[in-house]
Amino acid sequence: WIAFQEAYTPLMNCDSWNRSLTVFVKKDLVNHCSLLTSESCCVGVGGRGYNKGATCCRFSMYDTMFCFVNCHLAAHQGEVMARNEDYRDILRQLSRAAQSSDVDIVTSIFHHVFWMGDMNYRIDLELGKVLKLMEEKNYDELMKFDQLVLHRKLRNCFGMFEEPTIHFPPTYKYEPSTVVKGLRVVDKSRIPSYCDRILYKTLPGIGIETLWLKTNMDTLLSSDHAPVAGLFKTSLIHTSGLRGRETMLRMMKFHDRLQVRFLSLFVDLQVSSDFSSTASLTFGPRYLVMGKGRLYASSVVASKDGKDKEATGSTNPSGWVFSFHNHSLVMVEENKMQILEKKYLSMTFRTSNSRRGSAILPLSTSGGSMSDTPFSVYMYRHGVPVGSIRGTFVLERGDKLNAVVNSPARRVDNSGGGSGTASGSASGQQQLSPRAQQQQPTSRSSSMSEQSDDPSASADGKGGISIKRRMLNKLKVSDSKERDRAESGGSSGAVGAVAVAVTGGSGGNGGGV
């Protein structure tokens, strides 16, 4: 503990009733953490009772977004559906951490989400058989009857999450402070189960490795639960000179920017049969929210009972299919392919009265090429799959539509080769219409394109362009300084952050993760 205190310091904490979540980080990484947000919610008696719920801490380390959730779900053997509903209620209420009404925690662009706590999922097996398998240390067989494993496969809960392999006995229920022959005594009034869990969700293309997952049966004996601990190795992402890049990208002209063109785009949606949900699908506006822009559906290709779904390639037998205009464009404020392909596009399908579902499209599926890339991603709402978004996209530059001379700003080396395997979230907006593009002023762009490649050169007495060049030159200096700071800050030890969650049960005898 003394060694831990010397290396780590508390970054943030969130407490609610019997749930506590504290995040510690290494002292030399504190100055690289930002966007700290904490939130809690209650889903107990009547949907608002304090006895069940969750606490959440969100922060950014360099350009890596982390989210930690500690929860306490409904108890008792037969309440598995109540536990699934608690999970969905928590996602509905933790909107502040997601930072948008269009997404929730699992569909927002967090690079890493760790969900832990006393989830109370049980083993559906007779007491005698469970005790026998525990004695044989046949934990793989026990997991075949675990409620959480079964319902994750059905995507009723935690469908987007992964769980490390468990190689230890159930963590509940034991007689507190009782040890016989070096072993904790099982309380036979309950079927032993894996109530205390650690799950994680990582965006595609980002590395994560489970170093170990274990429980402590020997020292922490005051609870009827056994605590669980895990150690994970994750990618730490940092784009050097990020502030300089953002400024440069804002100054960038249209033909320098990369864009996502959807050659085809369909939404397969599963909906209930009640009129209130189908009326808005038939008559109201239907659109996809991508960053700051919206793409409106051009038509309803097939309704719930339509017979023309095969022409769209739909595999949704009992839902709706919506088609969007071919060659729809989403502008992305990025000019380097090697960075763009490591980003993600958040997509939310909405109607006039509600959010129907959200999905995340990894642009890395293009493989770094500007060729046609087919895709299909699950669409979730409150942690439950509600359909999919599919189609074909291609990454291209703005000059594909507007043949203009390349600007020297395009040749400014401001990539800031980031460490790690991925970059931050994509920020997209809908492309201007061709008529609106023609109305944009072009004299400054033409004048700038006639200049030499030297960023320090002046421009025909036009002071505005000279200032712009000097700003770009300063960005290169800022980029170099940020790279030096990243190299010094990224060389610390293996464990950069630690999250400790404590969940209390009835009578204060709770589990710990």
Side-chain angles (χ1 to χ4, degrees):
W1 173 248
I2 295 177
F4 181 85
Q5 285 183 310
E6 292 177 351
Y8 290 85
T9 185
L11 177 69
M12 57 192 308
N13 172 264
C14 184
D15 294 319
S16 176
W17 196 249
N18 57 3
R19 299 170 296 277
S20 177
L21 178 63
T22 304
V23 177
F24 298 84
V25 299
K26 280 196 167 182
K27 293 181 178 180
D28 55 352
L29 293 176
V30 172
N31 293 334
H32 302 290
C33 297
S34 59
L35 304 177
L36 277 64
T37 303
S38 63
E39 189 176 11
S40 64
C41 66
C42 299
V43 295
V45 179
R48 289 293 183 268
Y50 290 102
N51 59 324
K52 309 297 179 186
T55 54
C56 175
C57 290
R58 179 194 73 103
F59 67 96
S60 173
M61 182 181 291
Y62 290 116
D63 302 330
T64 310
M65 296 296 300
F66 288 94
C67 181
F68 294 91
V69 180
N70 173 33
C71 73
H72 191 193
L73 306 184
H76 305 302
Q77 185 80 24
E79 297 297 327
V80 60
M81 301 308 295
R83 287 186 275 277
N84 293 345
E85 187 61 32
D86 285 350
Y87 164 71
R88 292 190 284 268
D89 283 343
I90 289 170
L91 289 178
R92 290 188 188 99
Q93 295 187 45
L94 293 182
S95 58
R96 184 168 170 237
Q99 280 196 317
S100 173
S101 60
D102 289 324
V103 295
D104 50 43
I105 288 177
V106 297
T107 52
S108 61
I109 305 183
F110 288 112
H111 295 94
H112 303 288
V113 179
F114 292 90
W115 195 305
M116 64 197 86
D118 181 4
M119 300 185 187
N120 265 320
Y121 285 95
R122 309 302 173 93
I123 294 177
D124 286 329
L125 205 59
E126 295 178 2
L127 175 61
K129 294 181 179 180
V130 173
L131 295 175
K132 182 179 179 181
L133 291 173
M134 290 176 61
E135 184 179 354
E136 297 172 353
K137 298 184 178 181
N138 192 349
Y139 306 130
D140 292 338
E141 187 68 19
L142 280 175
M143 295 304 295
K144 293 180 181 179
F145 301 92
D146 180 78
Q147 293 175 347
L148 179 57
V149 172
L150 296 175
H151 282 262
R152 275 183 51 231
K153 290 180 179 179
L154 297 174
R155 296 187 180 272
N156 293 332
C157 63
F158 297 97
M160 301 178 69
F161 285 79
E162 301 291 336
E163 184 177 25
T165 304
I166 292 177
H167 296 294
F168 49 80
T171 61
Y172 175 87
K173 178 179 184 181
Y174 297 96
E175 295 183 6
S177 305
T178 305
V179 178
V180 177
K181 295 182 180 180
L183 299 175
R184 295 200 64 177
V185 178
V186 175
D187 184 343
K188 297 181 181 180
S189 64
R190 298 286 189 274
I191 295 176
S193 299
Y194 293 99
C195 291
D196 308 277
R197 312 291 275 266
I198 300 177
L199 290 85
Y200 64 87
K201 184 189 79 72
T202 302
L203 288 181
I206 300 182
I208 184 170
E209 178 185 358
T210 303
L211 300 181
W212 48 257
L213 182 74
K214 60 186 180 182
T215 184
N216 190 324
M217 293 282 188
D218 302 325
T219 55
L220 301 175
L221 307 175
S222 60
S223 172
D224 55 357
H225 291 252
V228 177
L231 182 62
F232 302 83
K233 182 179 180 181
T234 66
S235 300
L236 186 60
I237 304 154
H238 180 45
T239 303
S240 300
L242 180 63
R243 297 184 184 89
R245 280 196 60 76
E246 288 181 341
T247 305
M248 186 269 289
L249 292 173
R250 285 196 297 270
M251 296 164 54
M252 188 170 52
K253 294 185 295 301
F254 169 77
H255 66 271
D256 287 321
R257 298 184 182 186
L258 288 164
Q259 60 195 13
V260 182
R261 177 193 292 273
F262 290 96
L263 304 180
S264 62
L265 187 58
F266 297 95
V267 171
D268 293 322
L269 182 65
Q270 303 170 2
V271 295
S272 59
S273 58
D274 61 281
F275 178 79
S276 61
S277 64
T278 58
S280 61
L281 295 176
T282 307
F283 305 107
R286 305 164 298 268
Y287 53 91
L288 274 172
V289 179
M290 298 188 190
K292 301 177 182 178
R294 293 182 177 183
L295 299 181
Y296 284 84
S298 57
S299 63
V300 180
V301 177
S303 63
K304 183 180 176 65
D305 301 319
K307 300 180 180 180
D308 52 349
K309 295 182 181 180
E310 293 183 2
T312 71
S314 174
T315 58
N316 185 6
S318 60
W320 295 61
V321 180
F322 299 90
S323 174
F324 291 77
H325 291 286
N326 292 343
H327 302 283
S328 298
L329 289 175
V330 176
M331 291 296 300
V332 182
E333 292 191 1
E334 184 52 68
N335 69 340
K336 292 190 177 294
M337 179 65 71
Q338 63 268 33
I339 297 181
L340 181 62
E341 66 178 4
K342 296 176 182 178
K343 294 191 176 184
Y344 306 83
L345 196 59
S346 177
M347 311 169 72
T348 299
F349 181 63
R350 295 189 66 93
T351 57
S352 57
N353 60 353
S354 66
R355 174 175 71 95
R356 294 290 178 171
S358 302
I360 297 175
L361 173 62
L363 299 181
S364 59
T365 55
S366 66
S369 65
M370 291 190 175
S371 57
D372 299 357
T373 304
F375 72 94
S376 179
V377 290
Y378 277 109
M379 190 165 57
Y380 286 83
R381 185 172 184 265
H382 304 317
V384 178
V386 293
S388 63
I389 302 177
R390 56 186 172 85
T392 303
F393 74 91
V394 62
L395 302 178
E396 59 184 28
R397 292 197 179 276
D399 54 11
K400 291 288 184 181
L401 294 180
N402 298 272
V404 293
V405 181
N406 291 339
S407 163
R410 187 175 181 178
R411 292 190 283 272
V412 173
D413 183 12
N414 218 339
S415 61
S419 60
T421 60
S423 184
S425 61
S427 175
Q429 62 184 28
Q430 188 175 7
Q431 181 208 1
L432 296 174
S433 65
R435 182 173 181 180
Q437 294 168 9
Q438 295 174 1
Q439 295 174 354
Q440 300 298 310
T442 58
S443 59
R444 182 164 299 230
S445 301
S446 302
S447 176
M448 191 171 183
S449 65
E450 296 172 359
Q451 308 305 316
S452 66
D453 293 345
D454 181 10
S456 63
S458 60
D460 299 338
K462 293 189 177 183
I465 296 178
S466 180
I467 293 174
K468 196 172 186 179
R469 291 183 180 280
R470 288 198 297 271
M471 289 178 67
L472 290 171
N473 202 24
K474 290 180 180 179
L475 293 180
K476 297 172 74 175
V477 177
S478 173
D479 183 26
S480 176
K481 292 180 179 179
E482 288 287 336
R483 187 181 295 110
D484 293 340
R485 284 197 292 268
E487 291 173 355
S488 62
S491 60
S492 25
V495 183
V498 177
V500 179
V502 178
T503 305
S506 59
N509 295 324
V513 178

